[in-house]
Amino acid sequence: MTLPFLIIIPLFGAFSMPIVSLLGKKIKEYWAVIVSGATLAVSAKIFYTVWKTNEIILYTLGSDSPIGKGVKFPIRIVWEVDLFGALLALTIAFVGFLAVIYSLGYMKHDTGLEKYYTLILILELGMLGIVITGDIFNFYVFLEIMSIASYALVAFRNDTWEGIEAGIKYMFVGSLASSFILLGIALLYGQYGTLTMSYLAIKIAENPTLVAKIALAFFIGGLLFKSGAVPVHMWLADAHPAAPSSISAMLSGLVIKAGGVYAVARIVFGIFNPGLHAYLRAFNAPAVNMDVIGWVIVFFACLTLLVGNAMAVVQTDMKRLFAFSSVGQIGYILLGIGIGTLAYGTKAGELALAGAIYHIVNHALIKALLFLVAGAVIHQVGTKNLNELSGLAKKMPLTTFSFVIGAAAIIGLPPLNGFASKWIIYESSAMYNPVLAAIAVVGTVFSLAAYTRVLFTFLGRESDMIKEAKEPEKSMIIPMLILVAVIIVMGLLPWQISDKIMVPTARMLEQLNGEYIMALLKFIGGA
C-alpha cells in the first residue's frame, strides 16, 4: 500500500531536518529537495492508480478494517482517497516540489533555513493529509498542522513589521475559522457518535437534525474564512504579500484550496450529499435543504470574484495585486461548487463541478508561477512597487515572459490552461442562470485590467531602480519555466484533460451512485 508513504515521507523529512542540517547548509537543501521529490513520486503513483482503476482507495490506520470488534460501525481513523483527493495531492506535491527548488536560490541569504525547510515540509504534510483523510477530526488535525506552519512561514522574515503583523493577523483569523470548524465537528460527533465522513453521511440522511444543520453552517462559515472569500478576505491580502515568495506561491496556489474550497466541496458532497437529501425531500422525509447552501455559496462566490478582481486593479504592490487576484479566482471556484450543488444530477451541475476542479488545479499552477515571478523581481530589483518597475522587460526577459504567460492564463486567454476551466464555468453558469455567467465575465474584465497594467509597466520606459537588474539564478528560473511549460501544454490539450480527468473527478465527487459511501459499506457489510 503506497498511500501511507504520502504522509510518512514528508513527516520523516521534516523531523529529521534539524539533524540533517548539522551536516551542512547544502545537505539540508538537498534533503528538502529529495523529500519533496519523493513525495511527488508517491502522489503521482496514487493519482495514476485511482484514475486508472476508477476506484476509491480506503486505508485504515493500524488495522485491516475500520470496523471495531463487537460493533458494526467504523471507530478507527480512515483515509479515503477518490479522484478529487488524488488530483489535489498530485497538485500539492508538484507545486511544493517546485517551491523547494526555487527556495534554493531565493532563500540563500536568509538565516534559520533548517526551520524554513522543516516548516515547508510540515505545510505540505498538512495539506496532503487534508485531501486524503476520510475522518473529519483527522481532517481538523491536518488543517491545524497546515495552518500553524502557514502562520510561522508568513512571519518567517521577522526582521520586518510587515511579516510579523501579517502573521499575527493570519493566526487570529485562522484560529477563529478553526474554532468554527471544530465546533461543527463536535456537534456532529455529539449527535451521531462517529467521525468517519462517509458513515456520517449515512447517519445524517437517516436523521437530519437541527444540530446537523447548525454544524453545516459552522463548517461553511469557517471554510469561507480559510478560503479567503469576501468579506472575510482581509487576512489574505496581508499574509500573501508579506510571506517569502516561495511560500506565497504555496499559500495562494495550495493552502486556500486544500484548507478552503476543497474542504467545502468534500463536506457538501461527501457528508451532506445534495442528491441524497433531494431524494429524501421528494418523499417528504426530513432532510437538509441543500439548495439554501448552494445559494449561500453562489452569493459569496459572486461577491468574491467581483470584489477580489476589482481590488486588484487599484494595487501598486505587485504581490498584493496577485493576492487580491487570488481572492477573485476563489470566487470562480466557489461559483462552480455552488452551481454544482444547486444543479446536482444535471449536465449543468456536472460541468460546474468539473470547471471548479479544473480551476483549482489551473489556479494553483498559474498563481504559483506569478508569485515566483514576483519573488524573482524582488530578489533582483529589491522592490515590489509597480511604480518603480517600469522597463523591467529589457533587463529580465525570461521573467517577463513567465509573467506574460501567467497573466494571460489567469485572465483566461486561449490557448492557455486558464481558458478551459473558465470557459466551463461560464458555460455551466449560463446553463443554470445567465445572470451568474454575466457576473463571472465582469469579474474577468477587472482581472484583465489589473494584469494589463502590470504588463504595460514592465514594457515601459526604463526606471532608475532596474538599471542593474538581471535574471535570477537557475534554481529560480527553472521552476518558473517548468510551470510555463505545464500551463502551455495543458492549454493545448484542454478538452482532453477535461474529458479524461476533470469530468470523471466531478462525477466521483458528486457520487451519484454513492461511491464514497459504498467504499466504507463494503466493510460494514462484511463485518
Side-chain angles (χ1 to χ4, degrees):
M1 174 63 77
T2 310
L3 184 59
F5 290 99
L6 196 61
I7 300 300
I8 291 169
I9 291 172
L11 184 63
F12 173 73
F15 280 91
S16 60
M17 184 62 72
I19 298 170
V20 172
S21 65
L22 297 175
L23 302 176
K25 179 181 177 181
K26 288 295 182 184
I27 301 297
K28 66 171 170 270
E29 293 175 348
Y30 295 149
W31 180 241
V33 172
I34 290 167
V35 170
S36 57
T39 306
L40 174 59
V42 171
S43 66
K45 174 70 166 57
I46 291 167
F47 171 75
Y48 181 77
T49 300
V50 178
W51 177 73
K52 194 72 175 175
T53 61
N54 201 37
E55 291 182 0
I56 294 172
I57 298 174
L58 195 142
Y59 176 81
T60 306
L61 272 68
S63 180
D64 294 329
S65 170
I67 311 303
K69 290 182 180 179
V71 296
K72 289 188 176 292
F73 58 88
I75 62 170
R76 298 187 176 96
I77 294 174
V78 169
W79 291 344
E80 191 168 356
V81 186
D82 61 1
L83 202 47
F84 187 33
L87 179 62
L88 263 290
L90 177 61
T91 306
I92 289 164
F94 178 66
V95 174
F97 176 63
L98 294 181
V100 169
I101 294 175
Y102 183 88
S103 299
L104 301 181
Y106 182 73
M107 299 295 294
K108 69 180 181 181
H109 298 301
D110 287 79
T111 57
L113 289 182
E114 67 280 356
K115 300 182 186 72
Y116 172 83
Y117 287 115
T118 299
L119 286 167
I120 204 171
L121 292 175
I122 290 173
L123 178 64
E124 189 174 347
L125 160 72
M127 291 188 287
L128 289 170
I130 287 170
V131 300
I132 69 169
T133 189
D135 181 285
I136 198 162
F137 187 74
N138 195 229
F139 156 78
Y140 175 78
V141 170
F142 281 119
L143 181 71
E144 284 302 282
I145 290 171
M146 178 197 78
S147 299
I148 291 167
S150 299
Y151 307 151
L153 285 166
V154 166
F156 182 77
R157 286 176 170 163
N158 55 15
D159 56 334
T160 64
W161 277 109
E162 181 189 16
I164 296 170
E165 181 189 356
I168 292 171
K169 184 183 290 187
Y170 185 16
M171 182 173 64
F172 177 79
V173 175
S175 299
L176 182 62
S178 297
S179 299
F180 283 3
I181 294 164
L182 182 60
L183 187 53
I185 293 169
L187 288 173
L188 289 184
Y189 184 65
Q191 181 70 53
Y192 300 106
T194 184
L195 295 166
T196 306
M197 292 187 192
S198 45
Y199 195 62
L200 267 173
I202 299 169
K203 302 302 289 184
I204 292 170
E206 289 176 355
N207 182 25
T209 62
L210 178 62
V211 171
K213 296 172 185 177
I214 294 172
L216 177 57
F218 277 120
F219 283 132
I220 297 297
L223 292 172
L224 286 176
F225 263 102
K226 291 285 189 182
S227 301
V230 174
V232 286
H233 65 291
M234 73 295 288
W235 62 269
L236 191 152
D238 289 334
H240 291 200
S245 292
S246 48
I247 301 306
S248 301
M250 295 184 72
L251 290 174
S252 197
L254 303 175
V255 170
I256 56 176
K257 311 295 184 3
V261 288
Y262 166 85
V264 170
R266 177 62 71 206
I267 285 168
V268 167
F269 292 95
I271 299 178
F272 296 87
N273 187 268
L276 194 54
H277 289 274
Y279 179 80
L280 293 170
R281 289 172 63 201
F283 290 95
N284 294 319
V288 179
N289 188 348
M290 293 305 292
D291 285 352
V292 173
I293 299 301
W295 278 114
V296 167
I297 294 172
V298 166
F299 172 76
F300 284 108
C302 293
L303 195 62
T304 301
L305 69 88
L306 288 175
V307 173
N309 286 316
M311 288 297 293
V313 177
V314 298
Q315 302 305 313
T316 56
D317 182 310
M318 181 166 53
K319 289 184 73 175
R320 198 170 178 84
L321 186 153
F322 293 164
F324 274 111
S325 171
S326 290
V327 173
Q329 300 309 312
I330 286 294
Y332 290 102
I333 296 166
L334 287 172
L335 183 62
I337 294 170
I339 294 172
T341 305
L342 292 165
Y344 183 88
T346 67
K347 184 66 176 175
E350 182 183 282
L351 271 179
L353 266 186
I357 294 165
Y358 207 164
H359 206 57
I360 287 173
V361 176
N362 284 344
H363 181 253
L365 300 172
I366 298 165
K367 197 50 62 76
L369 171 61
L370 288 171
F371 272 111
L372 296 188
V373 166
V377 173
I378 294 166
H379 191 267
Q380 298 302 107
V381 182
T383 182
K384 52 185 176 177
N385 188 337
L386 289 171
N387 296 326
E388 299 175 340
L389 293 174
S390 180
L392 190 74
K394 296 174 184 176
K395 298 290 186 176
M396 301 175 68
L398 280 177
T399 302
T400 304
F401 171 71
S402 299
F403 168 77
V404 169
I405 296 298
I410 204 76
I411 292 165
L413 296 181
L416 301 170
N417 63 348
F419 167 74
S421 54
K422 280 198 171 183
W423 181 265
I424 294 170
I425 292 171
Y426 296 154
E427 183 183 356
S428 58
S429 302
M431 290 168 68
Y432 185 74
N433 187 327
V435 174
L436 298 178
I439 292 171
V441 171
V442 171
T444 299
V445 172
F446 285 131
S447 183
L448 173 64
Y451 284 100
T452 300
R453 188 165 67 89
V454 181
L455 178 60
F456 276 113
T457 298
F458 283 6
L459 296 174
R461 183 179 298 174
E462 188 176 300
S463 70
D464 293 336
M465 283 292 293
I466 58 97
K467 288 189 182 296
E468 304 299 321
K470 59 181 180 179
E471 294 287 6
E473 60 186 80
K474 289 181 180 178
S475 64
M476 294 171 66
I477 285 287
I478 290 171
M480 289 159 53
L481 294 181
I482 290 172
L483 286 167
V484 166
V486 172
I487 288 168
I488 292 172
V489 170
M490 288 181 69
L492 295 174
L493 302 169
W495 310 122
Q496 293 89 331
I497 293 172
S498 176
D499 293 342
K500 297 289 186 183
I501 298 175
M502 303 305 167
V503 172
T505 302
R507 287 173 181 162
M508 196 174 278
L509 176 62
E510 279 186 304
Q511 53 162 337
L512 292 169
N513 298 315
E515 293 90 342
Y516 197 73
I517 295 171
M518 291 304 296
L520 179 72
L521 285 180
K522 291 175 185 176
F523 287 92
I524 296 176

